[in-house]
Amino acid sequence: MKWPCALQPCDQPALRSLHGQCELCCRHFCAKHVVSALHTCPTNELEGLNSVRRTAGEEVISRLVKCTVNLPSAEQAYFNFDVLGGRNYHGSIVFDDGKAWLARFRLPNHNQPPLQERNFDRRSEFATYCFLARTAVPVPEVYDCAVDDDPMNLVGAGYILLERLAGNPLAWHGASEAQKDKLSRQLAEIYASLKQHPINGLGRLQLSSTGILEAGPAFFDYDSNGDLIPFGPFSHSNDYYTALIQQRIQLVKTGEAATSAPLDQYLVYMSLLDSLPPNESGPFFLRHVDSRDANFFVDDDYNITGIIDWELAISTAKGSAFQSPLLMYNLGELYHEGLSTPSEDERRFSKILREEKGAVELSALAEKKLHFRVDQVIETDPWERQNFVSLFSGWWKAANGTEIFDWDTWYKKAFDIYGHGAL
């Protein structure tokens, strides 16, 4: 159980999705109490929440070093990715000589994982930047890292101090064809560089007790006391997928996930287990799990100055690591039409890898989305019904080599095969 339901004396586990969490009071609720008269937080108080976040962030960052802290106004903070992302708060630290750093620390909000996982996330992100410093991948220089419960950390919150990159976040769909060509060639260089740095294990990077970079756990669960249970590292890609899907099935059975349609979710997961991507036994390669354009910084001439937000990066199967970056995907086709055909941007990227880099294998992988499809199906909750069905449809068609999928027909066959799973 990750979180208990906040309404006493309820003894049920809280939902792990955003549907069971309140950002204003930082509490978590089970499926029964998601909507309750006892939970009285207003539903539209972003301005007040932003002000609280900004004040807390400024106080924490100001303890780090003698510096000037630059943050936007409260009403801008929620939407300003210079300071606030989905999981972390960022503040600029400007020194007297004009050099600028970023202080990055976890948002104290409703979706904050327990202490042990926060500490692992921070250490893993630091280790990932250390790994990337050995490659030709452009990333900010990292200066320091501390976890929340380190007695030597006088700040009072876990953080990473890193270089503030020059340039601005990339707007891929606003780039011209010539600019996309230039960016795609740089991305091809990055893929080729990562290919030269294999990792012996599927998991998230960590520093060993002797300071050696290695693959660590790939994901976590929690026992009845809320303590962390690590899964991985894995030596085969299908061992990872099997463990992850089985863990998600258990969450369905305990009422921590898919409460709107638990049987639907169970049947989807069982179908995934029977049709996983081709098994890979390594070597494994680093994958940035959020490769949308906002995490690529470019200068005015569209040179990539750095790639950020490696917090959840994972060493994974080659077929997963070298899919095209998300910024090139046609998300409308992926989500609404269930199609997996390569976009024009993906085809351009694949052609550059093949014809200019001679990377025939990487070129072929860049046009495939089977691992992306599996990941999306695992993560999508039936609360989002349209996406849930559409993403599963897309995976089914890609996995089975067909262009037609009917939910009702599939559902009947799946139930006949897998039953109700003791739900």
Side-chain angles (χ1 to χ4, degrees):
M1 178 169 63
K2 188 172 185 177
W3 298 294
C5 180
L7 292 184
Q8 299 299 319
C10 180
D11 61 356
Q12 295 300 304
L15 293 172
R16 297 202 188 184
S17 67
L18 294 177
H19 305 289
Q21 303 165 18
C22 176
E23 188 166 4
L24 290 171
C25 66
C26 296
R27 294 191 295 170
H28 307 83
F29 303 93
C30 68
K32 180 180 178 181
H33 294 127
V34 167
V35 179
S36 170
L38 298 176
H39 178 218
T40 58
C41 287
T43 58
N44 189 19
E45 293 291 340
L46 284 183
E47 183 173 352
L49 178 63
N50 292 339
S51 181
V52 170
R53 283 179 167 179
R54 181 179 184 276
T55 300
E58 190 169 23
E59 288 177 356
V60 172
I61 296 171
S62 296
R63 294 182 216 160
L64 292 171
V65 288
K66 185 177 181 180
C67 59
T68 301
V69 177
N70 297 319
L71 296 176
S73 62
E75 63 270 15
Q76 294 175 320
Y78 191 84
F79 299 102
N80 193 315
F81 287 93
D82 189 40
V83 165
L84 193 64
R87 298 163 63 96
N88 295 281
Y89 204 106
H90 304 81
S92 298
I93 299 174
V94 182
F95 295 91
D96 291 342
D97 63 359
K99 187 172 181 61
W101 291 5
L102 281 182
R104 170 177 167 86
F105 59 94
R106 179 79 70 158
L107 279 168
N109 68 6
H110 66 306
N111 203 28
Q112 179 174 256
L115 175 65
Q116 293 170 292
E117 188 173 357
R118 295 201 305 271
N119 287 344
F120 177 83
D121 287 347
R122 209 38 98 222
R123 292 191 182 105
S124 180
E125 183 177 14
F126 183 81
T128 300
Y129 277 116
C130 292
F131 171 82
L132 289 166
R134 305 175 179 180
T135 74
V137 179
V139 293
E141 184 177 356
V142 64
Y143 305 116
D144 193 19
C145 168
V147 296
D148 286 2
D149 61 348
D150 184 349
M152 300 299 292
N153 178 9
L154 302 180
V155 174
Y159 63 84
I160 286 184
L161 296 180
L162 65 165
E163 174 190 9
R164 183 183 176 88
L165 292 172
N168 295 292
L170 170 64
W172 177 264
H173 294 290
S176 68
E177 292 302 303
Q179 290 165 338
K180 286 183 177 181
D181 280 342
K182 183 174 183 177
L183 289 164
S184 295
R185 288 184 172 86
Q186 294 173 75
L187 290 169
E189 292 283 357
I190 290 169
Y191 273 45
S193 177
L194 288 173
K195 179 71 161 45
Q196 298 304 310
H197 293 82
I199 301 167
N200 292 322
L202 192 159
R204 293 169 60 192
L205 293 183
Q206 63 181 11
L207 290 170
S208 71
S209 58
T210 58
I212 303 299
L213 280 164
E214 62 182 11
F219 65 95
F220 298 95
D221 201 354
Y222 309 85
D223 64 20
S224 58
N225 297 316
D227 292 326
L228 218 58
I229 302 173
F231 288 79
F234 297 94
S235 57
H236 296 84
S237 59
N238 281 1
D239 289 346
Y240 160 70
Y241 276 128
T242 298
L244 179 59
I245 294 169
Q246 289 177 341
Q247 182 255 353
R248 296 303 175 89
I249 290 174
Q250 186 60 30
L251 295 184
V252 175
K253 293 184 175 182
T254 59
E256 295 177 76
T259 55
S260 65
L263 183 55
D264 292 14
Q265 185 74 85
Y266 168 75
L267 294 176
V268 162
Y269 282 157
M270 292 303 295
S271 293
L272 281 178
L273 284 174
D274 279 349
S275 299
L276 292 173
N279 193 27
E280 296 186 36
S281 57
F284 301 101
F285 300 90
L286 190 66
R287 175 191 170 206
H288 193 307
V289 300
D290 188 14
S291 52
R292 56 195 172 91
D293 53 2
N295 287 326
F296 292 78
F297 273 60
V298 296
D299 62 19
D300 292 341
D301 295 321
Y302 280 80
N303 299 302
I304 297 175
T305 60
I307 307 171
I308 64 169
D309 202 5
W310 293 85
E311 180 177 10
L312 299 179
I314 186 170
S315 167
T316 187
K318 187 185 298 182
S320 175
F322 296 113
Q323 298 171 119
S324 291
L326 294 177
L327 59 88
M328 296 182 180
Y329 287 7
N330 185 329
L331 295 180
E333 287 190 354
L334 280 167
Y335 282 89
H336 304 306
E337 299 178 42
L339 300 178
S340 298
T341 51
S343 68
E344 289 300 317
D345 292 333
E346 290 174 84
R347 290 192 179 96
R348 180 209 327 266
F349 182 51
S350 175
K351 182 178 180 181
I352 289 171
L353 283 167
R354 182 178 63 254
E355 296 184 359
E356 298 184 20
K357 299 299 177 186
V360 176
E361 183 183 29
L362 294 186
S363 172
L365 294 174
E367 293 193 10
K368 297 180 179 178
K369 298 187 180 69
L370 190 55
H371 285 271
F372 172 81
R373 283 294 190 190
V374 173
D375 294 339
Q376 291 295 301
V377 172
I378 291 173
E379 295 297 331
T380 303
D381 192 284
W383 278 95
E384 308 167 67
R385 189 67 189 180
Q386 182 177 352
N387 279 348
F388 177 74
V389 173
S390 178
L391 287 171
F392 180 71
S393 165
W395 167 79
W396 177 266
K397 289 186 286 188
N400 292 279
T402 181
E403 297 181 359
I404 300 173
F405 174 81
D406 179 76
W407 173 269
D408 292 334
T409 301
W410 165 82
Y411 192 92
K412 184 179 184 303
K413 291 181 179 178
F415 186 79
D416 289 342
I417 296 171
Y418 307 115
H420 53 69
L423 293 173

